């Protein structure tokens, strides 16, 4: 599966969608795709059409929107990709909203987005598109790729969450999903670049409910952002290379690797540090690593490998 790194290119050009909408069909013999898109079976997915596409893009200001371009008539297996993305949208519980775009039913959207071929999955963050992947892949591989996407976005301070569509108030279906109010203050702080306030807000949530895994993960990532503020990556790597047993130097590079999306590298560095240390030093490194595991997610394959490697290093 081809996956592209995150960037922030220009916003989507919607000029192709600004022409007047065609008249509504009057019979079942009308052109294919002219009727409204069917409802999605997922609480975090929607079939895109020319009427709701703008609201989908606006929803990306709350949390990422993943646009899945497909065409069963041209690439039959792309329909399975669309169904799998619906399934994963529910599994990730609002970390992203999936917009299903059948390019045969809504060719104007494909034209506006300049879609070269299907299947294609594009992430939209803050109204700006970025390509993710353009191949059909097994569900497990998609799950792993999306876990990495969510981790990278979290490391960049993008921690919003969509509300399930079924929870939208009656008559407000087109207003876009709202932020979970429990995390709104912390997420607003991150959006404002106020990391200190974000740490305090997440800490407050964790103190109130230690079982809140989302708040705990947010706290770890906010603290990571706090520790790495103003740190020069090249200088940090040089310091770690010069002092392989310096715990502070090694932990700093691991934190920077996490922010850069190099999760396996961060885990491997700390596992090796656990292997070389003992006593309080070992406990400190182990606890830091376990915290990073929680931030990534205990079901993530990289965490499962990391836990196995940690157990090997400890015993």
């Amino acid at each position: 599966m081809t996956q592209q790194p995150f960037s922030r290119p220009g916003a989507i050009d919607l000029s192709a969608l600004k022409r007047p909408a065609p008249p509504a069909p009057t019979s079942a013999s009308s052109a294919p795709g002219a009727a409204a898109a069917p409802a999605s079976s997922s609480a975090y997915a929607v079939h895109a059409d020319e009427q709701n596409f703008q609201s989908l893009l606006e929803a990306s200001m709350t949390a990422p929107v993943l646009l899945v371009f497909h065409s069963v008539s041209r690439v039959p297996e792309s329909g399975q990709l669309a169904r799998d993305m619906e399934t994963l949208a529910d599994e990730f519980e609002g970390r992203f909203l999936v917009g299903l775009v059948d390019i045969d039913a809504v060719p104007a959207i494909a034209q506006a987005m300049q879609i070269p071929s299907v299947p294609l999955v594009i992430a939209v963050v803050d109204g700006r598109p970025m390509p993710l992947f353009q191949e059909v892949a097994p569900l497990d591989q998609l799950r792993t790729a999306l876990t990495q996407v969510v981790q990278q976005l979290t490391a960049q301070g993008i921690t919003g969450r969509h509300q399930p569509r079924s929870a939208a108030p009656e008559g407000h279906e087109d207003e876009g999903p709202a932020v979970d109010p429990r995390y709104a203050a912390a997420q607003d702080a991150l959006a404002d670049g106020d990391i200190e306030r974000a740490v305090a807000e997440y800490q407050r949530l964790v103190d109130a409910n230690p079982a809140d895994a989302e708040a705990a993960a947010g706290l770890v990532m906010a603290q990571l952002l706090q520790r790495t503020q103003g740190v020069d990556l090249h200088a940090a790597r040089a310091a770690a290379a010069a002092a392989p047993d310096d715990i502070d130097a090694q932990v700093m590079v691991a934190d920077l690797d996490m922010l850069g999306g190099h999760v396996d590298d961060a885990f491997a560095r700390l596992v090796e540090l656990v292997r070389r240390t003992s006593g309080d030093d070992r406990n400190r490194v182990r606890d830091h690593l376990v915290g990073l595991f929680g931030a990534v997610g205990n079901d993530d394959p990289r965490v499962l490998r990391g836990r196995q490697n940690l157990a090997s290093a400890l015993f």
Side-chain angles (χ1 to χ4, degrees):
M1 178 167 54
T2 303
Q3 184 174 343
Q4 301 294 333
F6 280 107
S7 60
R8 289 187 178 266
I12 299 170
D13 178 8
L14 296 179
S15 58
L17 300 181
K18 293 180 180 177
R19 65 180 183 278
T26 56
S27 70
S29 62
S30 300
S40 169
S41 60
S42 166
Y44 299 101
V46 59
H47 288 269
D49 57 31
E50 294 184 22
Q51 286 69 48
N52 67 16
F53 191 63
Q54 182 63 49
S55 66
L56 269 176
L57 299 184
E58 292 171 356
S60 74
M61 306 303 291
T62 295
V65 172
L66 304 188
L67 299 175
V68 183
F69 294 88
H70 64 284
S71 167
V72 175
S73 65
R74 305 182 197 192
V75 184
E77 57 269 29
S78 68
Q80 183 61 52
L81 173 64
R83 290 189 291 275
D84 286 346
M85 290 294 290
E86 282 192 84
T87 297
L88 291 170
D90 282 337
E91 288 186 16
F92 279 81
E93 297 182 326
R95 294 305 301 272
F96 54 80
L97 178 69
V98 166
L100 301 167
V101 187
D102 181 342
I103 66 170
D104 296 320
V106 283
I109 294 178
Q111 179 182 353
M113 295 288 293
Q114 299 179 354
I115 302 305
S117 61
V118 292
L120 178 64
V121 179
I122 292 177
V124 185
V125 180
D126 294 338
R128 297 178 181 276
M130 52 197 80
L132 288 185
F133 41 86
Q134 54 188 16
E135 299 172 11
V136 175
L139 181 63
D140 287 345
Q141 191 173 348
L142 286 172
R143 182 182 291 111
T144 298
L146 293 177
T147 297
Q148 182 178 5
V149 168
V150 169
Q151 171 61 29
Q152 291 180 14
L153 290 170
T154 301
Q156 296 174 28
I158 300 170
T159 59
R161 185 182 289 271
H162 294 284
Q163 292 277 30
R165 291 179 56 78
S166 59
E170 185 175 356
H172 293 75
E173 291 83 357
D174 293 330
E175 292 185 356
V179 176
D180 187 322
R182 293 175 295 172
Y183 312 114
Q187 292 165 7
D188 288 345
L190 287 173
D192 294 339
D194 190 342
I195 297 174
E196 307 295 330
R197 179 160 56 94
V199 168
E201 291 292 345
Y202 278 124
Q203 186 65 65
R204 179 179 60 79
L205 292 171
V206 171
D207 290 343
N209 180 13
D212 188 338
E214 179 72 18
L219 177 60
V220 170
M221 295 309 300
Q223 290 173 332
L224 189 152
L225 290 167
Q226 186 181 48
R227 289 192 300 272
T228 57
Q229 273 187 302
V231 175
D232 181 87
L233 174 60
H234 298 295
R237 288 196 181 281
D245 294 324
D246 184 323
I247 293 176
D248 289 334
Q250 299 302 322
V251 167
M252 178 57 69
V253 174
D255 286 350
L256 291 167
D257 279 341
M258 284 286 293
L259 283 180
H262 306 295
V263 177
D264 283 324
D265 291 341
F267 290 172
R269 180 179 293 273
L270 294 181
V271 166
E272 288 306 310
L273 192 56
V274 166
R275 207 182 297 275
R276 298 196 305 270
T277 52
S278 61
D280 290 342
D281 286 344
R282 170 178 278 198
N283 291 337
R284 176 188 167 195
V285 178
R286 180 198 61 199
D287 291 346
H288 189 85
L289 178 55
V290 170
L292 296 184
F293 287 160
V296 175
N298 291 324
D299 293 332
D300 188 288
R302 295 165 298 181
V303 171
L304 298 177
R305 290 193 299 269
R307 288 191 180 279
Q308 292 172 350
N309 293 335
L310 175 58
S312 176
L314 288 170
F315 305 107

